[in-house]
Amino acid sequence: MASTDLKLLSAGTLSPPGPIGRMARLGFAALCLWYVVELLSIAPWSLAPSVGIQAVIWNGVLPGLALVSYVINIGFSKAWGKRPAFVSLGFFLLAGVAGMAIEGHFATRILATTLWTWELYLFSHLGLAFLIAAVIGTPGCEMRAFHHLYSRMTGTPTKEHCCPVGPLTAIDRWESKP
């Protein structure tokens, strides 16, 4: 797996995405925001105890854990390595243990609500970042889209970052070749 190391580059180092890179970002935005809509269609805290945690919530846990460190580190310019994933996992375990203490089993409404809230934030942040990156042509990683938008609005240069996972860096390099 790619490194979660923060490697910020000076403004103007990376080429902005071309039409295919923008369309790929738009596709990823649609995928993330579709998942957010799916999450919003359920209310995990209103489930009957016998229902358990719905599959739509479980579906986002592993992809979310794989992505959360990139979202936090690159999006907030923090060099925390894999700590965001480990802290998230710790919260999930804590919620599961609390559920066991209160309701007698691990997969309770407490865990469902914890996972749902975390996924709602993570995939909303990621989806909006992809959308903004597609619309304004953010160079490199979509997690710098909010910074790039601020930069365009204020004229203040901001740092850039190559996409550490996924196909976007390869697409952008291919599109920028003469």
Side-chain angles (χ1 to χ4, degrees):
M1 183 162 223
S3 170
T4 55
D5 293 345
L6 186 65
K7 298 173 187 167
L8 295 174
L9 306 168
S10 299
T13 303
L14 301 174
S15 299
I20 295 171
R22 285 180 176 218
M23 292 303 292
R25 286 164 173 81
L26 198 55
F28 287 130
L31 186 62
C32 290
L33 296 175
W34 167 80
Y35 186 64
V36 168
V37 169
E38 290 296 311
L39 286 172
L40 290 172
S41 73
I42 62 169
W45 52 86
S46 66
L47 297 175
S50 62
V51 172
I53 298 175
Q54 293 187 8
V56 69
I57 295 174
W58 285 123
N59 290 341
V61 174
L62 289 180
L65 283 171
L67 294 170
V68 69
S69 294
Y70 300 108
V71 171
I72 300 301
N73 291 338
I74 300 169
F76 292 103
S77 304
K78 299 294 180 189
W80 290 341
K82 296 191 185 315
R83 277 179 273 193
F86 291 124
V87 169
S88 298
L89 192 55
F91 275 115
F92 303 158
L93 292 173
L94 195 64
V97 168
M100 283 188 77
I102 295 169
E103 296 183 35
H105 55 99
F106 190 80
T108 63
R109 286 180 281 190
I110 296 168
L111 180 58
T113 302
T114 302
L115 292 170
W116 183 89
T117 304
W118 177 81
E119 289 175 3
L120 187 66
Y121 160 71
L122 181 69
F123 289 102
S124 294
H125 186 152
L126 194 54
L128 291 174
F130 273 123
L131 182 61
I132 292 168
V135 171
I136 67 173
T138 299
C141 185
E142 73 285 344
M143 292 317 306
R144 302 302 295 171
F146 296 105
H147 300 277
H148 185 223
L149 178 61
Y150 177 79
S151 177
R152 289 183 62 167
M153 291 171 54
T154 64
T156 306
T158 190
K159 302 280 186 179
E160 299 172 349
H161 198 286
C162 287
C163 282
V165 293
L168 295 179
T169 296
I171 292 170
D172 291 347
R173 284 185 185 145
W174 174 75
E175 279 193 296
S176 68
K177 286 183 182 176

